[in-house]
Amino acid sequence: MDIDARIKRRQRRTDGRRLVEDYESLSPVAHVDEPSDRGPTLERLLDHLDPVFDGQLPGNAYVSGPAGAGKSAVVTALFSHLDRLSTETRSIIHTSTRAATPTSPAFAYLDLRETTSEFAFYHAVLDALVEESVPDHGISTAELRERLHDLLGGSRTGVVVVVDHVGEPEGTGDEELVELFAGLPSNVSWLAVGRRDPEDVPLTEYTATEIAVDRYRRETLVDLLMTRASLGLARQGLDHELARRIAEWADGNAHDAMAALFVAAVRATEDERARLTEADVTAAVEEVPRGSVSLGRVLALPANKQLVLRELVDLDPEDRASVTATTEAIGATPSVDLSPGTVKRYLYEMAEVGVVERVQSEVTNEQGRPPSRVELRFPPTAFRRLYDLRE
């Protein structure tokens, strides 16, 4: 039970009874402090990290598992706790002195959805270890790397770096990531997190451990849905049987299950219902595509691409009949200050990485070539509300 979260939920609640009391607790991209049914995974991670409790660095490791298995949730929760426990280490490193020796390694977390260049990689590691702000401009990548080596040069224990979302289409390539790790000081070990099997990941040539994370069991997924609903919805907002139906449909994918719950809650709220209904859940599971793109990936895209998607989700079907029609419709909206060429390029780039899909129409145009309509690979209702809440 997360008592702090329950108290905050009531503090944020507006006057009057509402179905949704806290959207963040329902968000498919938000992680809780205690992920459901990930005890065995936590133990395997702690077994690997056990040397840190004796002031030593563990070896490198790779954590793998299918989409929605809770890899990011369990890793971020664990490293958040470990980071708080390493206050003594971090305070010594922050002084930039060599008068004392840290007693245990420090910890740093990087998300490759947001860390998309060599500069950003070393900047993120350094920024996680120092109190002062690391400049974004006026410093080269080589200088960042040199500062990192200088900072850790007098530390015997070093740092454990988590690198999440390895191997995603728009992310850092395998060979480049190997080079980035090679550029870290010798007293840094890393833990990479991704979906691909270890044998398909070049990084595993440099790992001491591979840790597999299985899909959620159905009953556990039901418990997860009910727990998140208890934090984000009004009392009795979600019936247990509806949670079971979502869990059965999601087939072990917690992201898709939470996305369906979120969409159902938005629909019920818009219709001013006090609890979710069968119709809300039916509409929600129909909206979430099979093999849905993670909403975390979508919300990590550059701001202008997200703006294009925000307009795209509101277009009528006829405005998405072709890439050209979609480009014209988005370009005509007052909020988009982008050229038609830029909008079209963004659509093509997002299709290449699977955020949207170009589906060939059965109707040919005047030149005899079938146009391609633009289809979403994520639930539009969830993206729309998450985007608007953030804005």
Side-chain angles (χ1 to χ4, degrees):
M1 178 184 297
D2 191 332
I3 297 176
D4 288 340
R6 294 175 184 270
I7 293 173
K8 290 179 181 178
R9 179 194 69 177
R10 293 178 180 269
Q11 289 175 330
R12 287 193 290 263
R13 189 170 64 199
T14 57
D15 294 337
R17 298 296 296 173
R18 299 180 59 185
L19 172 61
V20 179
E21 296 183 344
D22 181 17
Y23 276 107
E24 184 175 356
S25 295
L26 298 174
S27 171
V29 300
H31 299 313
V32 295
D33 287 339
E34 300 290 340
S36 300
D37 190 41
R38 299 292 89 174
T41 301
L42 278 169
E43 287 299 323
R44 290 196 294 272
L45 284 167
L46 285 170
D47 286 343
H48 170 69
L49 295 169
D50 194 63
V52 305
F53 301 107
D54 293 323
Q56 304 296 320
L57 274 178
N60 302 325
Y62 177 65
V63 179
S64 64
K71 302 181 297 298
S72 295
V74 70
V75 167
T76 54
L78 175 58
F79 272 71
S80 176
H81 284 275
L82 290 173
D83 190 44
R84 289 197 293 268
L85 290 174
S86 67
T87 302
E88 181 180 359
T89 297
R90 293 172 63 84
S91 65
I92 293 173
I93 290 181
H94 290 164
T95 64
S96 297
T97 68
R98 302 295 179 261
T101 301
T103 58
S104 63
F107 299 90
Y109 173 87
L110 279 71
D111 188 343
L112 288 187
R113 289 172 175 168
E114 301 172 355
T115 309
T116 57
S117 68
E118 182 182 10
F119 178 90
F121 181 88
Y122 293 117
H123 185 282
V125 175
L126 184 61
D127 194 54
L129 300 176
V130 298
E131 290 180 340
E132 65 273 12
S133 177
V134 180
D136 294 319
H137 306 285
I139 184 173
S140 68
T141 300
E143 288 175 307
L144 281 175
R145 192 164 52 240
E146 183 178 351
R147 286 192 187 185
L148 187 58
H149 280 259
D150 289 344
L151 179 66
L152 295 176
S155 169
R156 292 204 306 266
T157 53
V159 180
V160 181
V161 177
V162 177
V163 181
D164 203 355
H165 300 119
V166 169
E168 295 197 347
E170 66 273 36
T172 304
D174 291 332
E175 293 183 3
E176 183 182 356
L177 192 55
V178 169
E179 292 179 0
L180 290 173
F181 282 142
L184 292 171
S186 59
N187 56 348
V188 174
S189 69
W190 46 263
L191 186 148
V193 184
R195 295 181 185 175
R196 290 180 296 169
D197 292 336
E199 57 267 24
D200 298 328
V201 180
L203 282 176
T204 56
E205 296 181 19
Y206 309 93
T207 56
T209 307
E210 283 84 46
I211 300 170
V213 183
D214 297 326
R215 286 181 175 272
Y216 278 90
R217 294 176 297 160
R218 184 174 300 171
E219 288 304 319
T220 304
L221 203 47
V222 173
D223 291 342
L224 182 150
L225 289 166
M226 294 301 296
T227 298
R228 297 286 285 268
S230 73
L231 294 171
L233 297 179
R235 187 177 180 184
Q236 298 182 343
L238 175 65
D239 180 85
H240 193 274
E241 287 305 312
L242 291 180
R244 178 178 293 276
R245 183 185 167 194
I246 294 173
E248 289 176 351
W249 164 83
D251 191 26
N253 188 319
H255 170 273
D256 287 0
M258 286 302 305
L261 174 61
F262 191 89
V263 171
V266 172
R267 288 179 56 87
T269 298
E270 290 174 347
D271 290 340
E272 299 182 347
R273 284 189 285 278
R275 59 187 305 171
L276 302 186
T277 66
E278 185 84 19
D280 295 320
V281 170
T282 297
V285 298
E286 290 177 351
E287 181 177 320
V288 181
R290 281 298 182 186
S292 173
V293 171
S294 167
L295 285 159
R297 273 184 62 194
V298 181
L299 292 166
L301 290 170
N304 280 340
K305 288 186 176 180
Q306 289 191 53
L307 177 60
V308 168
L309 290 177
R310 179 61 185 86
E311 298 302 328
L312 176 60
V313 298
D314 282 347
L315 293 184
D316 294 329
E318 56 267 25
D319 289 328
R320 289 193 281 116
S322 69
V323 175
T324 299
T326 303
T327 298
E328 292 175 352
I330 293 175
T333 58
S335 61
V336 178
D337 186 21
L338 299 170
S339 70
T342 298
V343 172
K344 180 174 285 189
R345 175 167 59 84
Y346 284 170
L347 291 173
Y348 281 125
E349 289 175 351
M350 289 188 286
E352 288 177 0
V353 296
V355 173
V356 298
E357 184 178 9
R358 293 168 57 203
V359 179
Q360 185 171 296
S361 173
E362 296 179 358
V363 180
T364 60
N365 57 25
E366 294 178 357
Q367 288 74 37
R369 182 180 179 182
S372 298
R373 69 179 185 275
V374 180
E375 296 290 344
L376 304 173
R377 296 300 307 150
F378 55 89
T381 299
F383 171 73
R384 181 188 297 113
R385 183 54 57 92
L386 290 169
Y387 182 95
D388 291 350
L389 287 170
R390 188 181 56 185
E391 294 299 311

